[in-house]
Amino acid sequence: MELAHVWISIPVCCLYIIALLGNSSILLVIAVERRLHKPMYYFLSMLSAADLCLAISTLPTVLGVLWFHAREISFKACLTQMFFVHAFSFLESSVLAVMAFDRFMAICNPLKYTTVLKDRIIMVIGLVICLRQVIYIFPVVLALKGVAFHGGQELAHPFCYHPDIIRYTYSNSWLSSFLGMFLQLYLTGTDLLFILFSYVLIIRTILSIVAPKKQQKALNTCVCHICAVTVFYVPMISLSFTHRLLNSTPRVICSILANIYLLLPPVLNPIIYSLKTKTIRQAMLQLLHSKGSRGRQLRHLRGPWD
């Protein structure tokens, strides 16, 4: 689809701009507003940081292909990009699991919520999930560094993705694909099972609430997280199985799924949380209003001197 790259680049660039601005805005608002210095918003900032880094990790090669018709990438650069793409992708999965635990504590054990999720505990959780990705993904990248590849092969995506790269190894690609799928199922599968188990307990607690308004209020606090989980896991599972189990799938379908997988969560997550979370929406509007009024005051002070 090289002839359509200029037209394809327009919506892709718009999506990248929305992802970068949206997630940066959420990080800025949570950092500036002291009333948002709570566990729920700390975890939301982790999600926005993972989305932001995921978008940035694919941005150079995607725009290089669409704008500058970049045809090649060095092996070291490809491995580096693959490491960051998978690390931030798995990191987002872990953050979603931690956010499910946050919702479980807030709904099922509200009296212990503030005592369990203290600032120090949240910092430890963030450090552990970051180390978890490095410990599991770094050895995979090191193992690929010593593998011989066929040169001059075309990748199915404008970025380096493990199932796409291992098809061109001289060694047994099926074994490498199986190991990669096992790692993905272990990391994201355990996260997804933890999320599902948390929501089983959450739903059981919500159903035990007598007052309908309280039931609705408790359920509304989970809507954003459920949307984020759906937006992340459905494209990821579809892409993984398409690459590994359905070899006859057209490359255009694989490319579309890959771009949806990497662009949809960073684009939609800030929109979902901004629209559905009243405190985030109010904080953003207040921040914009304060900056606007400060700009008008500066123009007014410059007026007599002009």
Side-chain angles (χ1 to χ4, degrees), residues 5-6 9-10 13 62-70:
H5 275 181
V6 175
S9 68
I10 296 173
C13 287
V62 171
L63 294 187
V65 169
L66 295 177
W67 283 358
F68 306 108
H69 303 288

Side-chain angles (χ1 to χ4, degrees), residues 27-305:
L27 287 172
L28 178 63
V29 166
I30 293 174
V32 170
E33 291 289 334
R34 293 188 62 84
R35 59 178 172 152
L36 298 181
H37 292 180
K38 298 177 182 178
M40 174 183 173
Y41 301 108
Y42 287 144
F43 294 133
L44 177 58
S45 66
M46 292 181 193
L47 182 66
S48 295
D51 281 333
L52 190 63
C53 293
L54 186 60
I56 291 172
S57 64
T58 59
L59 182 63
T61 51
V62 171
L63 294 187
V65 169
L66 295 177
W67 283 358
F68 306 108
H69 303 288
R71 300 289 185 182
E72 295 180 357
I73 184 170
S74 67
F75 182 64
K76 289 183 179 179
C78 190
L79 283 184
T80 303
Q81 186 183 50
M82 188 194 76
F83 171 77
F84 284 115
V85 166
H86 287 284
F88 290 125
S89 176
F90 293 152
L91 179 62
E92 183 164 351
S93 174
S94 298
V95 172
L96 289 171
V98 172
M99 293 175 80
F101 175 71
D102 171 75
R103 292 299 83 209
F104 164 75
M105 290 298 300
I107 294 172
C108 301
N109 296 291
L111 297 177
K112 296 181 180 179
Y113 182 73
T114 53
T115 56
V116 172
L117 293 175
K118 295 180 179 179
D119 291 352
R120 187 180 297 178
I121 299 297
I122 293 170
M123 288 179 62
V124 171
I125 290 172
L127 183 63
V128 167
I129 61 176
C130 287
L131 288 175
R132 181 191 183 211
Q133 319 314 320
V134 175
I135 289 169
Y136 281 103
I137 298 172
F138 195 66
V140 175
V141 176
L142 285 179
L144 283 176
K145 194 175 180 180
V147 175
F149 287 85
H150 300 281
Q153 300 296 331
E154 287 188 5
L155 298 176
H157 316 303
F159 52 86
C160 294
Y161 185 61
H162 180 263
D164 193 22
I165 295 171
I166 58 174
R167 293 187 300 171
Y168 305 119
T169 60
Y170 283 107
S171 58
N172 191 345
S173 61
W174 183 87
L175 180 61
S176 300
S177 178
F178 175 78
L179 290 174
M181 192 170 186
F182 172 78
L183 182 65
Q184 185 166 20
L185 287 174
Y186 174 73
L187 289 174
T188 59
T190 51
D191 293 336
L192 186 57
L193 287 173
F194 183 81
I195 291 168
L196 293 174
F197 180 69
S198 298
Y199 272 102
V200 168
L201 299 177
I202 288 169
I203 291 170
R204 190 181 69 176
T205 303
I206 290 173
L207 292 175
S208 66
I209 299 173
V210 178
K213 288 186 178 180
K214 288 185 177 180
Q215 278 187 342
Q216 187 177 359
K217 185 179 178 181
L219 192 59
N220 284 338
T221 61
C222 302
V223 170
C224 293
H225 183 253
I226 293 171
C227 293
V229 169
T230 306
V231 164
F232 176 77
Y233 279 103
V234 171
M236 184 199 68
I237 294 171
S238 302
L239 178 64
S240 181
F241 277 91
T242 299
H243 261 293
R244 292 183 170 94
L245 300 181
L246 303 175
N247 294 324
S248 60
T249 305
R251 295 181 67 181
V252 175
I253 302 297
C254 290
S255 184
I256 291 171
L257 281 174
N259 286 288
I260 288 173
Y261 161 55
L262 289 179
L263 271 177
L264 203 63
V267 169
L268 290 184
N269 285 341
I271 295 173
I272 291 168
Y273 277 94
S274 299
L275 293 177
K276 293 294 293 181
T277 309
K278 187 178 179 180
T279 48
I280 292 287
R281 187 170 64 251
Q282 287 177 344
M284 282 187 172
L285 293 174
Q286 186 178 348
L287 188 63
L288 290 173
H289 178 72
S290 63
K291 285 190 175 183
S293 60
R294 192 178 303 167
R296 286 194 296 270
Q297 288 175 0
L298 289 172
R299 286 196 298 269
H300 179 71
L301 289 172
R302 291 196 201 103
W305 296 100

